[in-house]
Amino acid sequence: MMCIQEDAADKPTMSSVVFSLSTDTCTFPTSNNSSDMGSFFLVPAFIVLFSSSHQLSFCAAGDRLAAGQSISVNQTIVSAGQIFALGFFTPENSDAAANLQYVGIWYNRLPGRTVVWVANRETPLRDPAGVLTVTEDGNIAVLDGMGRTVWSTNRTGVPSNTSAVLLDSGNLVLGDGNGGDDVWQSFDHHTDTFLPGMKQRVNLTTGVSTRLTSWRGAADPSPGQFIDTADPKNPLQNCIFKNSEIYVRLNPWDGKALATYGTPGITNSPIVYRIVKGDDDLTLSINMATNSILGRVVLEYTGTLTIFILVGSSWVRMASFPDKICDFYNRCGPFASCISTQSSCRCLDGFEPRKPEDWKMGNFTGGCVRRLHLQCDGTDRYVMVPGMKLPDGFSVMWNRSMQQCEAECSTGCRCQGYAYADLSSLDGGISGSRCLVWLGEMKDLEQIPARGENLYVRLHESELEGNNTRLEDGIFPRKNKNLIKIVAPILSLAMLLTAICCYFSIKMHKSRVGKRRSRKIVLPPQGLGITSALGSEKEMPDATLFDFKIVKAATSDFNNKNKLGEGGFGPVYKGTFLSGQEVAVKRLSKGSKQGYQEFQNEVRLIARLQHNNLVRLLGWCTHKDEKILIYEYMSNKSLDKFVFDPTRSAELNWEKRFSIIKGIANGLLYLHQHSRMRVIHRDLKTSNVLLDSEMNPKISDFGLARTFQTNQEKENTQRVVGT
């Protein structure tokens, strides 16, 4: 057809004919004479040639498919820089009899065919007469010989003049022919390969993320059983799933914006991972440090995530994951760390193997358990474990200080530890901080000194004294065995001497013990802390024992800006917990004439008294010499602020005054007659009557109160108290 031209200038040379027949792309010569009779012969010949087909197709040229153009199974389009090609392919070593055709993108000028994207991986074409085209509705589609859709981009509302362009990045873009916005691109629909310029987007709230899906086999591009994506439960970490189970887990994001990997033989050309954090999402991309290097990340059908770099004309594996036994998920069980250099496991400090006999046999899956349970009374401490792959199962909080992060973990008994990262101190322009806490078992730990983080594990305070023998790898360390041989005889002799001494001293101490028991307690007994003297939380279910660090953080370290006032007990501060709850914090002053007895009265009495006109005690705290009470916050402060202030006194009309008087009377009536114990306040005054946001009165400050028996009429006091 090309040779039917009248003008000799329009006739192709023999070499151009040979080139056109040997290439996959179709090009047609154009005539300079619009009235050329050659066109008369060309059109009928073209129609006759394709009259048996049900579709009229035009070949694409260059790097694009315009609307109505198509390529068949033996044709391709090539990106402008000749880097990538798009067309039909049959996987190498596949079943030739099946004749399955896939539309894919591969590197154009490399030996073999390195496929980086597959369109119809779930619906291969079985018809050699099929085509890839841009259809009338503006979509890219694979059609069989009968014109039926095998695969499509399936976009709605697409302009009719769209065209598909293959870029040098390997991205196939469907765009508006008039220069409008792109309506679809292959970079948003990953298969098994992650190319420079692609982006993995992770929604930190929903856990929804783009993903890589492996091939089913080396010669089967259909979706396989391995998926690399963000963990839906903890989107800060990527996992490779085998079907629905975690196969391997990558490190949680440590807040760093960049990560580089060196290239074998090309030390100055690393591959760069870049992470950008938005308000509610993370975006991961990779780039090559120089444009002269080609690289890709592939999730292979075996479940291995591999970074490839092109060196010469061959692909070189730069890094693979998993590549060692400790990479596989939760190999050592809970609270145990995998040691790569020894291919063994080790319990965290303060823990011991759940099943020691299994550990001696090399079976570590049972993990470890605590030697001593947490106290949860403010005495637990944290030990730092450096260079760790942080365990699975964390909860994340943003923009907390390290002190607040630790306080958050200390709030309840469920928290096992925490990790903190100040994002502002890292490169990349990210601000804020990241706090991770573990409210359950710590699983999938590994020692990785070069890339690990500090993990703070919560322990019983005695575990930090260093007197406990540690069981590692199912055996006692040699130095501990030698120590036992020396210490055991000494302990036996000491126990014998102690027994003899006790025998001769029991009678001498009996009388002293009796006297101590008969004494009335005014201060905590010697050797017994305030916490023990007051009783456990079970005895006072309505009063919570708070950790001192939580109280300190809530009041901004008892900042004077938060000070509400000061009484005989000490200063009162406004505090705000991390949950947003506002509280009043009363702190015993070192110069106060009140002390332990008044503090004990407050905790024991108010915890058991419940009435609308009595202030509610939310909790208490002791730390060294500190004695602190936490109450519900009264926004209008005390009654004296109104009564003795000429300006604010006008706010109290007779109706409000009468309501306050009735409320105080109801509170006193409850204390004197209707409470579980008969209580005389002994310090009732306007400064001890607090007003809530609706001006309801609440009696407070029970430090000087006395309890009476229900049938008791009078009592003698030893000192003058009250106002």
Side-chain angles (χ1 to χ4, degrees):
M1 291 185 294
M2 294 183 293
C3 297
I4 307 176
Q5 303 288 338
E6 286 189 354
D7 193 336
D10 294 330
K11 295 180 180 180
T13 63
M14 183 57 66
S15 60
S16 64
V17 172
V18 173
F19 174 81
S20 297
L21 292 175
S22 62
T23 185
D24 288 338
T25 58
C26 296
T27 57
F28 294 103
T30 57
S31 173
N32 295 326
N33 186 355
S34 60
S35 61
D36 197 330
M37 286 297 294
S39 61
F40 178 81
F41 293 100
L42 176 61
V43 174
F46 187 85
I47 294 175
V48 170
L49 182 63
F50 290 95
S51 60
S52 61
S53 176
H54 295 276
Q55 57 196 24
L56 185 62
S57 301
F58 296 90
C59 294
D63 60 351
R64 66 191 61 225
L65 277 174
Q69 289 185 329
S70 65
I71 57 174
S72 60
V73 294
N74 61 344
Q75 297 172 325
T76 61
I77 63 173
V78 180
S79 64
Q82 303 289 307
I83 298 175
F84 287 97
L86 167 70
F88 288 89
F89 74 96
T90 299
E92 296 180 6
N93 302 320
S94 62
D95 185 2
N99 193 28
L100 301 180
Q101 297 285 339
Y102 296 89
V103 171
I105 298 172
W106 58 86
Y107 288 95
N108 180 46
R109 293 184 292 187
L110 298 182
R113 179 181 281 126
T114 304
V115 178
V116 298
W117 184 80
V118 182
N120 58 325
R121 61 188 311 194
E122 296 184 54
T123 54
L125 179 68
R126 302 173 185 272
D127 184 353
V131 295
L132 175 69
T133 185
V134 176
T135 58
E136 293 180 356
D137 63 0
N139 280 285
I140 305 173
V142 178
L143 307 179
D144 64 12
M146 301 296 292
R148 294 172 297 196
T149 301
V150 176
W151 172 89
S152 171
T153 53
N154 199 28
R155 305 290 292 181
T156 58
V158 180
S160 58
N161 60 339
T162 55
S163 61
V165 182
L166 180 61
L167 305 180
D168 280 335
S169 61
N171 190 13
L172 178 63
V173 178
L174 180 65
D176 186 346
N178 296 325
D181 295 335
D182 297 335
V183 296
W184 181 92
Q185 59 178 351
S186 62
F187 269 19
D188 289 337
H189 303 271
H190 305 166
T191 53
D192 70 325
T193 301
F194 199 68
L195 293 174
M198 281 186 172
K199 294 181 179 180
Q200 179 189 11
R201 295 179 176 88
V202 182
N203 187 302
L204 296 178
T205 300
T206 63
V208 175
S209 170
T210 48
R211 56 177 57 189
L212 296 180
T213 304
S214 70
W215 284 24
R216 184 173 296 275
D220 186 356
S222 62
Q225 59 182 335
F226 294 100
I227 295 174
D228 173 42
T229 186
D231 184 357
K233 297 179 181 178
N234 291 299
L236 285 184
Q237 62 188 14
N238 259 38
C239 294
I240 298 176
F241 290 86
K242 184 177 182 180
N243 298 320
S244 60
E245 300 295 327
I246 297 179
Y247 181 61
V248 292
R249 183 180 67 94
L250 283 73
N251 298 347
W253 180 54
D254 58 4
K256 295 179 181 177
L258 299 175
T260 59
Y261 293 86
T263 307
I266 311 178
T267 56
N268 61 342
S269 300
I271 188 170
V272 180
Y273 275 81
R274 182 179 299 274
I275 297 177
V276 177
K277 183 182 181 299
D279 293 336
D280 195 35
D281 63 353
L282 287 177
T283 302
L284 167 69
S285 61
I286 63 170
N287 296 95
M288 306 308 298
T290 62
N291 294 330
S292 60
I293 300 297
L294 295 181
R296 58 193 174 98
V297 180
V298 182
L299 179 60
E300 300 182 86
Y301 73 92
T302 57
T304 302
L305 190 67
T306 304
I307 300 175
F308 288 99
I309 296 295
L310 187 67
V311 178
S313 60
S314 301
W315 291 105
V316 176
R317 290 176 180 264
M318 188 176 65
S320 294
F321 188 83
D323 67 344
K324 57 185 183 299
I325 194 169
C326 286
D327 289 338
F328 293 96
Y329 184 70
N330 200 25
R331 179 178 178 271
C332 296
F335 301 111
S337 173
C338 191
I339 313 300
S340 298
T341 56
Q342 303 173 9
S343 297
S344 64
C345 300
R346 175 175 297 173
C347 291
L348 295 175
D349 286 334
F351 294 79
E352 60 188 5
R354 187 188 302 272
K355 299 178 180 179
E357 294 302 320
D358 287 353
W359 276 53
K360 292 177 182 179
M361 300 295 293
N363 180 6
F364 306 110
T365 55
C368 303
V369 294
R370 289 187 180 276
R371 283 196 296 254
L372 297 174
H373 291 292
L374 298 175
Q375 292 290 93
C376 306
D377 60 355
T379 62
D380 296 328
R381 295 294 178 261
Y382 293 88
V383 61
M384 185 184 77
V385 186
M388 295 296 294
K389 172 186 175 182
L390 297 182
D392 193 14
F394 55 82
S395 299
V396 62
M397 291 170 288
W398 300 102
N399 302 325
R400 302 286 200 274
S401 67
M402 188 169 185
Q403 185 183 43
Q404 289 175 325
C405 188
E406 182 174 314
E408 189 75 28
C409 186
S410 302
T411 302
C413 257
R414 291 181 59 200
C415 187
Q416 308 297 318
Y418 73 94
Y420 176 80
D422 182 3
L423 308 186
S424 303
S425 65
L426 302 172
D427 296 333
I430 301 174
S431 61
S433 63
R434 182 217 64 188
C435 170
L436 305 181
V437 296
W438 282 264
L439 302 180
E441 292 182 337
M442 292 181 171
K443 298 185 293 184
D444 194 36
L445 292 107
E446 181 186 354
Q447 286 186 347
I448 47 173
R451 295 176 287 114
E453 293 189 61
N454 294 334
L455 175 65
Y456 296 86
V457 181
R458 188 178 180 182
L459 297 176
H460 189 287
E461 63 175 343
S462 63
E463 292 285 3
L464 275 67
E465 296 173 0
N467 295 327
N468 295 290
T469 303
R470 178 177 176 177
L471 185 64
E472 298 178 351
D473 305 329
I475 58 173
F476 287 101
R478 181 180 299 275
K479 62 179 181 180
N480 288 339
K481 288 182 178 180
N482 296 333
L483 184 63
I484 291 172
K485 292 178 181 179
I486 298 172
V487 172
I490 297 175
L491 288 178
S492 300
L493 179 61
M495 291 175 64
L496 178 61
L497 293 175
T498 301
I500 295 173
C501 292
C502 288
Y503 176 78
F504 287 105
S505 61
I506 286 176
K507 292 183 179 181
M508 296 176 61
H509 286 280
K510 278 186 177 180
S511 59
R512 294 180 183 178
V513 171
K515 291 180 181 179
R516 287 174 186 160
R517 289 178 179 173
S518 64
R519 290 177 186 170
K520 184 177 180 180
I521 298 178
V522 177
L523 294 174
Q526 186 176 3
L528 184 64
I530 289 178
T531 302
S532 302
L534 288 173
S536 66
E537 290 185 79
K538 292 181 180 179
E539 295 173 351
M540 293 179 292
D542 298 321
T544 302
L545 175 61
F546 284 89
D547 189 282
F548 181 69
K549 294 177 182 178
I550 297 176
V551 179
K552 192 175 180 181
T555 59
S556 300
D557 199 7
F558 302 102
N559 195 307
N560 283 332
K561 293 181 180 179
N562 294 326
K563 191 172 181 180
L564 299 175
E566 188 162 0
F569 186 89
V572 181
Y573 299 88
K574 180 181 179 181
T576 305
F577 290 139
L578 295 177
S579 62
Q581 181 184 12
E582 295 180 329
V583 294
V585 178
K586 186 159 71 171
R587 185 186 192 189
L588 179 65
S589 173
K590 294 181 180 179
S592 173
K593 295 181 180 180
Q594 300 184 32
Y596 170 73
Q597 189 172 29
E598 289 78 9
F599 179 79
Q600 183 190 41
N601 266 354
E602 289 269 342
V603 176
R604 284 193 175 279
L605 287 178
I606 302 184
R608 289 168 169 78
L609 299 175
Q610 299 291 332
H611 191 270
N612 289 336
N613 295 113
L614 301 182
V615 70
R616 188 159 65 97
L617 180 70
L618 301 178
W620 52 288
C621 171
T622 61
H623 177 72
K624 297 181 179 178
D625 295 332
E626 297 280 358
K627 302 178 186 68
I628 296 172
L629 299 169
I630 297 97
Y631 299 94
E632 59 179 328
Y633 176 66
M634 298 287 108
S635 57
N636 281 315
K637 301 182 180 178
S638 56
L639 180 59
D640 64 320
K641 297 293 191 294
F642 287 85
V643 173
F644 301 114
D645 187 324
T647 303
R648 303 200 70 182
S649 178
E651 299 178 26
L652 297 179
N653 55 32
W654 172 244
E655 184 179 358
K656 287 184 179 178
R657 290 173 185 263
F658 187 59
S659 175
I660 292 172
I661 292 170
K662 287 195 299 181
I664 297 172
N666 284 332
L668 289 174
L669 183 63
Y670 169 78
L671 293 175
H672 294 171
Q673 293 186 12
H674 302 308
S675 66
R676 288 180 288 180
M677 58 189 77
R678 198 172 185 186
V679 179
I680 305 300
H681 190 280
R682 299 205 300 171
D683 196 20
L684 187 62
K685 53 188 176 182
T686 54
S687 61
N688 286 339
V689 176
L690 305 180
L691 301 172
D692 65 12
S693 59
E694 298 179 356
M695 299 297 286
N696 295 314
K698 294 180 183 287
I699 300 172
S700 68
D701 200 345
F702 285 75
L704 301 180
R706 288 285 296 273
T707 58
F708 280 66
Q709 301 296 326
T710 55
N711 58 354
Q712 187 177 359
E713 296 293 336
K714 62 181 180 179
E715 176 65 85
N716 295 324
T717 61
Q718 302 294 325
R719 55 178 177 156
V720 177
V721 297
T723 302

